[in-house]
Amino acid sequence: MRPRPKRCRRRRSWVDCADRTLASPRRGPTAQGGIVLGIREARARLLTACLELAPRPEGVTEVPTDGIAITRPPKPEMGDWAVPAFPLAKAWRRNPAEVAKQWAESMRADLARPDGVLGALCAGVRDAQAAGPYVNLTIDPATTAGSVLGQVTRRGDRFGWATVPTGETVMVEYSGPNTNKPLHLGHLRNNVLGMSLSNLLEAAGHRVIRVNLVNDRGIHICKSMLAYQRWGEGTTPASSGEKGDHFVGRMYVLFDQKLKEEMAAFAAARDVDPSTWSRAALKELTDKDELKRREAAAEAFEREFLAASPLMAEARALLRLWEADDPETRALWSTMNGWVYEGFRATYARLGCRFDKWYYESEVWQLGKSEVERGLETGAFYRNPDGSVWARLESLGMQDRCVLRADGTTVYLTQDIGVAMQKFRDYGMDRSIYVVGSEQDAHFKNLFGVLKLLGHTFADRCHHASYGLITLPAGMGKLKSREGTKVDSDDLLELIKGDARQKIEEGGYCEDPAAIDGIAEMIGQGALKLFLLQVSAEKSIQWNPLETIAFNGDTGPAVQYSHARICGILRKGLAAGLITEDDLERSATRGFGPFLKSERVDPGLLVEPLERDLLRALADTEDVVQTAAERYSPAPLAAHLLELTKAFARMYHEHEVLRAASPELARARLQLSLAVAQALRNGLALLTIEAPDRM
RNA sequence: GCGCCUGUAGCUCAGUUGGAUAGAGCAGCGGAUUUCUAAUCCGCCGGUCGCAGGUUCGAGUCCUGCCAGGCGCGCCA
């Protein structure tokens, strides 16, 4: 009855050689040997140097490295990097502050030596000061600026990405639509999470395979088919001018309406009042026994009705015909699914959603069956007297689950066992991620448990990337396609786009009317997608369809706006002749730049606190991407982009870029701004959001 | 009844393997613009981190119990 809810290859082999190129000999982040390191690598060397200088107690040579990681001090003026003394203090049973003090002294002594360790391993370390249990390190601003700008300009649209491929292949399954209805807001969250997660894993250096598993069979499709046969009057999406998925979705709603009418008549005939167990009526009840009684009554009535309903009987008959390969039924099924796919393709294309592989439940639904036999042989499963087969999940601290019905047909869990095996057979990936709503948490626990029982070693490499539901405010019910309280994806995208278009026209910064449509689309999606991705996945999101989505504050458009303004600054600079095309380098093929040619920029001029804040935020980007990928969560990246955006807004509000005190400073600031634009564009892309040049 | 998730400012949310003084946005109030785009910036206001214990040098973060909300507990998918 309830369809699989909201389940919601490409090869990219790249070795980025940019970081191995020789840096300008004049300045920049050159460590000895002239090799420019990635920011993460440089920091790793800094940590190595620091550990070497740790103040060991008498007779100790080993330094514990566990748990020591370089972090940022809470305030910029305290320094650029912070090394905690806790782990050392703990290992040596000493006071952390005391260790930090000695450690800082040892570092300062090292810095004073011409052949010091710090100087050899990392350029630009200026000072080390103990502050409580931490040692705060100060880096020469020019070195930092040169290093960061060098990174961004060299890596272009790969800035923020891992510099070396991991060689690991990760599969991400997401979207998982049902072919009986269009995509709604719940699917949007799934799709955006799935797309973004895939991008992040790619950026972390993995090869990613994007997979869709379509629920294209089952009783729910038969309902749409039946409604179409009965009341469709031979119309088609083409003849009614309707998007295919909406057309079929309408049939599904139609079936539900007719079924409700049937139910009302059924209830009237038996003299029962279904409103006594409506959601509202149950909410008001305080008597728990009464509540239970009502719920039981509701369930009993529904069961009775569904068993007696002629419409349901017909739908079930249609399902049997489908399973028996009845040509006429299969033909109608193909036709209607075809309509739906046409609609899906349009929505997916609009969202920028793509897949390397499509699995269809109609093709894989019986795959797990052979595993049942094997499970019985190995003792992972057992057979009940009635013939049904069960998995011994109790041995893993769970409840045993049915994997084969008494009548010999498979269940959802069995199907997923088969699909999981098929996936690993097809791609041999190292990890398999399922982006599916939290209402299926238990299902995936069971699935992975059963895979383990069956001895599949890949069970440990499967992960359910769970996310919370999208709920409507109290009193507005639930998102349900059947009852029309869904928030349709297409409608929603159109609505937000309209708001965006209005703002663009008010702003008047887009002279070309033909371009407005595309920009409105980018901004509308930016608002929606960042709204969805900002929140940690496991949390549910309350959505009020009556409130328009915000464009101000911590929003996608705010990030896009900063990007657009930077593009605007560059345009102004070129138009005013303050810089020329000859000053620039850009590569259209890699979404690279534009940047000023690095030999025409002196990063050492970027000494203002607001500029340094910005450089620091830029430098954190690679770490954030890595963390986001590790945690299967785009939210940290969303937060980071907003941070970067605000840091930029503060900087350019306070300091003029093009009209800076000197042409040299203007160029340095412009380069900084262009680097920010690149970082924002890259980050947004990982969140599946595009960045317009003007808005 | 059992299991999982959530609970942080009036609202919506961040808060890395436990670590420096718990941060943003919105709303409210007060300021900033003959603009390199005000989809902006600055300031103010706002907190017993659901409650109570515990672990330790240190807890929003870990453990136990309780309270509140959500989801799940089918031979449905």
Side-chain angles (χ1 to χ4, degrees), chain A residues 157-315:
Chain A
D157 70 349
R158 287 295 174 266
F159 172 72
W161 287 46
T163 48
V164 185
T166 60
E168 200 179 316
T169 301
V170 183
M171 175 179 284
V172 180
E173 180 200 299
Y174 68 98
S175 200
N178 299 316
T179 55
N180 63 329
K181 57 192 174 193
L183 304 175
H184 60 63
L185 186 52
H187 294 103
L188 280 182
R189 187 174 194 190
N190 181 301
N191 284 0
V192 171
L193 269 172
M195 288 191 278
S196 179
L197 227 50
S198 302
N199 294 345
L200 284 166
L201 288 163
E202 225 158 45
H206 309 304
R207 175 190 169 214
V208 173
I209 299 159
R210 296 159 168 86
V211 163
N212 197 359
L213 173 57
V214 190
N215 187 329
D216 62 341
R217 65 162 286 277
I219 192 73
H220 52 289
I221 318 294
C222 294
K223 291 179 184 175
S224 302
M225 285 159 62
L226 183 62
Y228 182 68
Q229 283 178 329
R230 283 263 199 122
W231 309 292
E233 296 169 347
T235 54
T236 64
S239 76
S240 68
E242 216 170 341
K243 204 161 157 278
D245 50 339
H246 289 247
F247 181 89
V248 174
R250 192 159 56 80
M251 293 301 138
Y252 188 69
V253 171
L254 194 58
F255 177 93
D256 199 61
Q257 280 169 358
K258 297 287 184 185
L259 191 70
K260 283 222 168 82
E261 284 170 22
E262 227 184 33
M263 186 164 82
F266 183 80
R270 325 195 123 216
D271 211 21
V272 282
D273 180 8
S275 70
T276 51
W277 53 68
S278 72
R279 206 182 159 80
L282 293 180
K283 263 253 147 84
E284 304 232 320
L285 277 182
T286 45
D287 181 351
K288 286 213 167 163
D289 289 338
E290 177 61 16
L291 184 75
K292 273 196 180 158
R293 213 172 311 128
R294 295 258 189 107
E295 278 173 348
E299 234 172 84
F301 173 78
E302 195 176 306
R303 231 186 345 258
E304 206 178 325
F305 165 69
L306 290 177
S309 155
L311 270 178
M312 279 308 294
E314 271 193 73

Side-chain angles (χ1 to χ4, degrees), chain A residues 40 151-152 155-163 203-204 618 621-626 679 682 686:
Chain A
R40 286 168 71 85
Q151 280 293 313
V152 184
R155 308 241 14 233
D157 70 349
R158 287 295 174 266
F159 172 72
W161 287 46
T163 48
L618 277 173
T621 304
E622 200 177 317
D623 264 337
V624 171
V625 170
Q626 190 63 38
N682 295 358
L686 292 176

Side-chain angles (χ1 to χ4, degrees), chain A residues 327 330 498 632:
Chain A
R330 286 285 182 148
Y632 301 121

